[in-house]
């Protein structure tokens, strides 16, 4: 299992950008395979990807994720081709449909037929990156718009092939990753039950005549090195409460559905209710300790190494961490520690 680094969303503070860069460079020195750059409704991922790749030498740089409603598929293909040409062999294109709140509330794009839209988007990105004329008539996307215009192909002769990973939570979207993507980016992975979600990946791969072993699975989690589990869990509670209670809409939240499927339906419903009525701290207090412990690398070195082994046994190909600490030096120490523990676990197996 490879190690990766997952960054937080950048708030525009120059000092935070320098800390981000220092963390990525430490990950490269510690033999991490990839750094993932997120995108929400603040800093875009592409600019940061190019900046980070220019300041490092070997580590791969992936988007986690470029949001499908934010860009036309041909724009995404141009972006991927440009990055790959500048940084050959180091770019991974992570894509995802996002959710109804961001899709409608930020991009002003209708939240309709998300699975079909994702499939058609992947088809067009693939056509464009193969430098074939983009002629596509789908239900949600049609290029060219009318017969009055001829199909166009990408004129840039980019180097190599850009791997495409799909962020997916729901069963149908995970199946689509199995059918069409080079990799899958699952969310909130509980290693002990991951085989249940992986069945959908296998189903999609079988339908497309693919070997599921060829589809890489890359997930992310928090990493807190501490002897005090109470303090460590406190780091992750606000983020998990936000996902369960504050993402999506009152009637559609993929993260809430996912956690409910783990056996925490009552807790997820109450966290959502509290979060939406402005009682965020009360919502955070209800996040179950057992859920935090299962999803993360929080604890002393012995416990973290055991959780690394659990993720590897679950079939995760790349485990990316969000290192936590009160200072940049503490975060860099977490990067080094987790790297050393992962190497020790690999050598032991």
């Amino acid at each position: 299992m490879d190690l990766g680094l997952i960054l937080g969303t950048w708030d525009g503070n120059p000092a935070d950008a320098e800390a981000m860069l220092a963390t990525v460079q430490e990950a490269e020195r510690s033999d991490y395979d990839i750094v993932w750059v997120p995108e929400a409704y603040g800093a875009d991922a592409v600019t940061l990807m190019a900046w980070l790749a220019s300041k490092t030498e070997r580590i791969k740089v992936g988007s986690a994720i470029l949001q499908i409603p934010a860009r036309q598929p041909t724009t995404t293909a141009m972006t991927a081709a440009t990055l790959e040409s500048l940084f050959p062999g180091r770019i991974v294109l992570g894509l995802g449909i996002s959710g109804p709140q961001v899709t409608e509330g930020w991009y002003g794009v209708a939240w309709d037929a998300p699975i079909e839209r994702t499939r058609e988007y992947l088809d067009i990105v693939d056509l464009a990156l193969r430098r074939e004329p983009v002629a596509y008539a789908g239900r949600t996307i049609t290029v060219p718009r009318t017969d009055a215009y001829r199909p166009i192909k990408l004129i840039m002769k980019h180097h190599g092939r850009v791997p495409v990973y799909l962020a997916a939570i729901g069963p149908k979207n995970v199946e689509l990753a199995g059918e069409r993507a080079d990799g899958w980016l699952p969310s909130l992975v509980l290693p002990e039950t991951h085989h249940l979600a992986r069945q959908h990946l296998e189903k999609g791969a079988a339908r497309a005549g693919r070997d599921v072993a060829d589809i890489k699975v890359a997930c992310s989690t928090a990493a807190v090195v501490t002897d005090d589990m109470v303090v460590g869990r406190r780091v992750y509670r606000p983020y998990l409460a936000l996902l369960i209670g504050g993402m999506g809409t009152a009637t559609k939240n993929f993260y809430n559905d996912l956690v409910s499927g783990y056996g925490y339906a009552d807790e997820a419903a109450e966290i959502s209710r509290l979060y939406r009525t402005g009682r965020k701290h009360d919502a955070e207090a209800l996040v179950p300790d057992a859920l935090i412990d299962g999803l993360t690398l929080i604890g002393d070195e012995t416990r973290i190494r055991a959780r690394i082994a659990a993720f590897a046994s679950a079939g995760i190909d790349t485990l990316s961490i969000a290192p936590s600490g009160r200072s940049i030096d503490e975060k860099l120490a977490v990067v080094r520690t987790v790297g050393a523990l992962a190497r020790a676990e690999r050598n032991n197996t």
Side-chain angles (χ1 to χ4, degrees):
M1 184 176 68
D2 290 324
L3 274 184
L5 182 74
I6 178 77
L7 300 177
T9 53
W10 182 46
D11 63 1
N13 185 327
D16 290 343
E18 291 304 315
M20 180 194 310
L21 176 59
T23 308
V24 174
Q25 291 173 332
E26 184 62 49
E28 182 171 67
R29 286 191 291 270
S30 299
D31 295 324
Y32 283 55
D33 182 66
I34 191 168
V35 54
W36 297 98
V37 182
E39 183 174 82
Y41 34 92
D44 76 284
V46 175
T47 304
L48 291 174
M49 288 173 68
W51 178 63
L52 292 168
S54 73
K55 299 289 187 178
T56 51
E57 297 178 0
R58 301 178 305 280
I59 195 167
K60 295 174 186 172
V61 182
S63 56
I65 54 172
L66 293 193
Q67 299 166 339
I68 285 174
R71 301 169 181 84
Q72 294 294 334
T74 45
T75 303
T76 294
M78 289 192 299
T79 297
T82 304
L83 288 170
E84 173 62 25
S85 295
L86 289 170
F87 310 104
R90 296 179 59 200
I91 301 301
V92 178
L93 180 60
L95 298 174
I97 194 64
S98 191
Q101 175 60 51
V102 172
T103 299
E104 300 244 8
W106 180 246
Y107 294 116
V109 175
W111 176 259
D112 61 340
I115 303 299
E116 193 165 5
R117 183 179 297 276
T118 301
R119 182 187 299 278
E120 294 178 1
Y121 196 97
L122 292 173
D123 287 344
I124 295 172
V125 169
D126 183 58
L127 273 174
L129 286 177
R130 286 192 280 115
R131 300 190 67 240
E132 296 185 13
V134 178
Y136 192 91
R139 189 168 79 82
T140 68
I141 313 172
T142 298
V143 184
R145 283 289 299 161
T146 71
D147 292 339
Y149 301 95
R150 63 179 176 82
I152 299 173
K153 74 176 183 178
L154 183 70
I155 59 175
M156 186 175 193
K157 297 177 181 177
H158 61 285
H159 306 284
R161 185 176 180 281
V162 183
V164 176
Y165 283 45
L166 183 63
I169 298 176
K172 294 298 182 184
N173 215 17
V174 177
E175 287 179 24
L176 180 58
E179 287 183 50
R180 296 285 288 102
D182 298 295
W184 172 34
L185 297 168
S187 294
L188 302 182
V189 170
L190 190 62
E192 287 75 12
T193 65
H194 181 64
H195 63 283
L196 299 175
R198 190 178 175 86
Q199 290 174 357
H200 301 294
L201 189 74
E202 294 168 349
K203 182 178 179 180
R207 186 159 57 226
R210 305 177 68 196
D211 185 347
V212 73
D214 294 333
I215 304 166
K216 301 302 181 182
V217 181
C219 73
S220 59
T221 188
V224 185
V225 181
T226 179
D227 292 329
D228 190 332
M229 290 296 294
V230 174
V231 172
R233 294 181 187 118
R234 195 177 298 151
V235 173
Y236 197 56
R237 283 187 191 282
Y239 177 69
L240 201 51
L242 168 65
L243 294 184
I244 298 170
M247 298 298 284
T249 66
T251 58
K252 191 59 181 177
N253 181 329
F254 299 120
Y255 302 103
N256 193 292
D257 293 344
L258 184 62
V259 169
S260 295
Y262 289 157
Y264 299 100
D266 292 342
E267 294 90 337
E270 184 63 7
I271 289 168
S272 179
R273 186 188 70 79
L274 291 170
Y275 210 94
R276 294 182 184 285
T277 55
R279 298 169 61 184
K280 294 182 180 180
H281 293 302
D282 292 334
E284 291 168 10
L286 284 185
V287 177
D289 289 351
L291 178 63
I292 297 174
D293 295 350
L295 295 174
T296 65
L297 304 184
I298 293 177
D300 59 22
E301 293 187 11
T302 299
R303 186 179 189 283
I304 288 176
R305 180 169 170 177
R307 295 313 293 163
I308 290 172
F311 278 97
S313 297
I316 302 301
D317 296 292
T318 301
L319 177 63
S320 298
I321 66 161
S324 180
R326 291 165 296 183
S327 67
I328 182 59
D329 288 338
E330 287 189 4
K331 290 182 180 180
L332 298 184
V334 171
V335 170
R336 290 191 292 270
T337 298
V338 173
L341 293 172
R343 284 192 298 274
E345 183 59 31
R346 281 198 298 264
N347 292 338
N348 188 54
T349 57

